[in-house]
Amino acid sequence: MEILWVLMAMVMLGFVLLPFLRRRRGVIEQVPAGHPDAADPADYGFARQEELDVRMPGPDQDLLDVLDLVQRTQDHKAAAQLLAGTEKEGERRWQRVQAFAGAASLELQQRPGGVSESPGGQWLRVWRAEAPKDAGGAAVHAEFLVQQAWRTSTAGTDDFRIIMEEARSACAEAALLAPGDPIPYIVELSVARGLAYPREEFEQLWLKILDRSPHHMGAHLAALHYWCEKWHGSRELAYGFAEAAAARAPHGSLLAAMPLFAVFEHLPELNLVRGFYQSEVVTKAIHGALHAVHSARADDPMLAHVRHLLVFFLVRGERWAEAMGQLIHIDGHVGALPWTLSPDPAAEFAVYRALAVAGYEANGGSPATLPH
């Protein structure tokens, strides 16, 4: 009888592990090129793994130049000038606020300070002290506190709540300094998720954002987390929120890709269905995102975010040529979902890129046939 139970356990384990192994190896099983390492991404002009920039989803040379200057000199003035010259309602300002806050947070993590040295991110403290009425500095400080809470504490603990309450106050202060700016309220969306705002309070916050920037993609992505099953909503609520955003998206808006992000947020931890990534729900979401990408402005700051997620789904769905079509636009930068969820975003991205190249070549593709 004990042997029977052991055999049954082995069979069940096989059912659990096989789909996972196929997800990682299924691409390779059907390509004559063999292991994806046999296909060289460098043949397509792709960056080496160690050259991939994990800080941002796509290029923003002005931001990179200022970040380098600020971190080298520990002087905040260039950051203040860059934000002051960035459109308030646009996506780029939100990305730059996140980048400055993230840089300060990482500096503090790497150099917490002590008797003989000052803590990292000191330039942000000086910025707030020297220019307390600077709306850009106030927004960066609020986002810094949010990132600190998620980075250094666990949701639900006293430490987490204390930092998030401080962030909430910082959001209110930033909003007073810039009444028409949606950024302080977008920062507060993460606070709302962490502190579990009641739905009525969350919806009031959301209305403030819609009044200021109704088609802000970054705001919609931040709000989506609140409605997800793992936080304060459900799969149905998250899908409904994403589909409603896509339905009211104006032509050229990347909001049409929102359903794909909702699908990603609710992926099963173990996929026991081999054709999951070719299913109707996933296929429909992919097509919506592809349409959004094709309709969007080439300089839309959120375009890279959608392309990165498309690479993930297109590779999983064994749609090699389409995956390669996205890779040629985003290669070199990996600071976006889904790669940032990995301890090593560059390595994770490189695996998917290698699989895309291997699958593309196995089906007759080559550097000469890939359109640019």
Side-chain angles (χ1 to χ4, degrees), residues 13 23 55 81-83 93 124 138 144 146 166 174 220 224 229 257 274-275 284 286 305 335 345 361 363:
L13 183 62
R23 288 204 302 273
R55 294 173 293 181
Q81 291 172 359
L82 183 65
L83 284 183
R93 180 179 173 84
L124 179 55
F144 166 81
V146 166
E166 186 180 354
H220 279 79
L224 176 64
E229 190 172 59
R274 179 153 174 76
K284 182 180 177 182
I286 289 175
H305 286 274
E361 293 187 351
N363 289 277

Side-chain angles (χ1 to χ4, degrees), residues 68-364:
D68 289 341
L69 178 62
V70 168
Q71 293 186 304
R72 187 175 67 254
T73 65
Q74 290 294 297
D75 189 335
H76 67 276
K77 293 183 180 62
Q81 291 172 359
L82 183 65
L83 284 183
T86 306
E87 181 187 9
K88 286 185 178 181
E89 294 78 16
E91 305 281 354
R92 196 173 300 280
R93 180 179 173 84
W94 170 229
Q95 291 190 11
R96 288 174 172 176
V97 166
Q98 287 181 298
F100 287 130
S105 180
L106 283 174
E107 279 186 38
L108 182 58
Q109 183 181 36
Q110 293 164 358
R111 300 197 316 276
V115 177
S116 59
E117 66 173 358
S118 60
Q122 186 67 22
W123 53 270
L124 179 55
R125 296 178 183 84
V126 174
W127 187 356
R128 294 295 295 129
E130 292 185 353
K133 301 299 183 182
D134 184 343
V140 172
H141 179 238
E143 174 64 15
F144 166 81
L145 290 170
V146 166
Q147 293 195 28
Q148 279 295 99
W150 292 111
R151 193 186 305 277
T152 64
S153 307
T154 302
T157 63
D158 289 342
D159 286 347
F160 181 85
R161 177 168 291 277
I162 289 170
I163 301 173
M164 277 298 189
E165 290 289 358
E166 186 180 354
R168 185 177 189 173
S169 298
C171 288
E173 182 179 353
L176 287 174
L177 292 173
D181 189 350
I183 300 299
Y185 300 103
I186 299 176
V187 176
E188 192 179 350
L189 289 173
S190 189
V191 177
R193 175 164 55 99
L195 294 181
Y197 281 20
R199 288 185 182 176
E200 182 179 351
E201 186 176 357
F202 182 86
E203 288 170 350
Q204 290 174 354
L205 171 61
W206 182 239
L207 287 175
K208 292 177 183 178
I209 295 170
L210 292 182
D211 286 344
R212 290 161 175 79
S213 188
H215 306 302
H216 198 290
M217 179 74 171
H220 279 79
L221 291 176
L224 176 64
H225 290 297
Y226 179 91
W227 295 114
C228 285
E229 190 172 59
K230 59 189 173 185
W231 286 105
H232 311 298
S234 65
R235 181 188 301 265
E236 291 72 25
L237 285 171
Y239 278 25
F241 175 80
E243 288 166 1
R248 66 173 180 267
H251 178 73
S253 169
L254 287 165
L255 287 177
M258 282 297 298
L260 189 64
F261 286 87
V263 170
F264 178 76
E265 292 295 337
H266 293 87
L267 288 177
E269 290 187 13
L270 279 175
N271 172 30
L272 301 181
V273 181
R274 179 153 174 76
F276 174 80
Y277 289 93
Q278 292 91 21
S279 66
E280 182 180 354
V281 170
V282 175
T283 299
K284 182 180 177 182
I286 289 175
H287 287 168
L290 286 170
H291 172 74
V293 164
H294 293 151
S295 304
R297 301 188 329 269
D299 63 346
D300 191 317
M302 295 302 294
L303 187 54
H305 286 274
V306 181
R307 290 192 188 277
H308 279 287
L309 197 62
L310 272 170
V311 168
F312 172 87
F313 278 99
L314 291 170
V315 168
R316 288 292 184 98
E318 301 174 6
R319 297 166 64 165
W320 317 118
E322 290 171 291
M324 293 293 287
Q326 301 304 318
L327 281 168
I328 60 175
H329 292 287
I330 58 172
D331 190 75
H333 297 84
V334 295
L337 287 175
W339 327 122
T340 49
L341 297 179
S342 167
D344 189 342
E348 186 77 3
F349 174 82
V351 167
Y352 276 78
R353 184 178 63 182
L355 293 174
V357 171
Y360 182 65
E361 293 187 351
N363 289 277

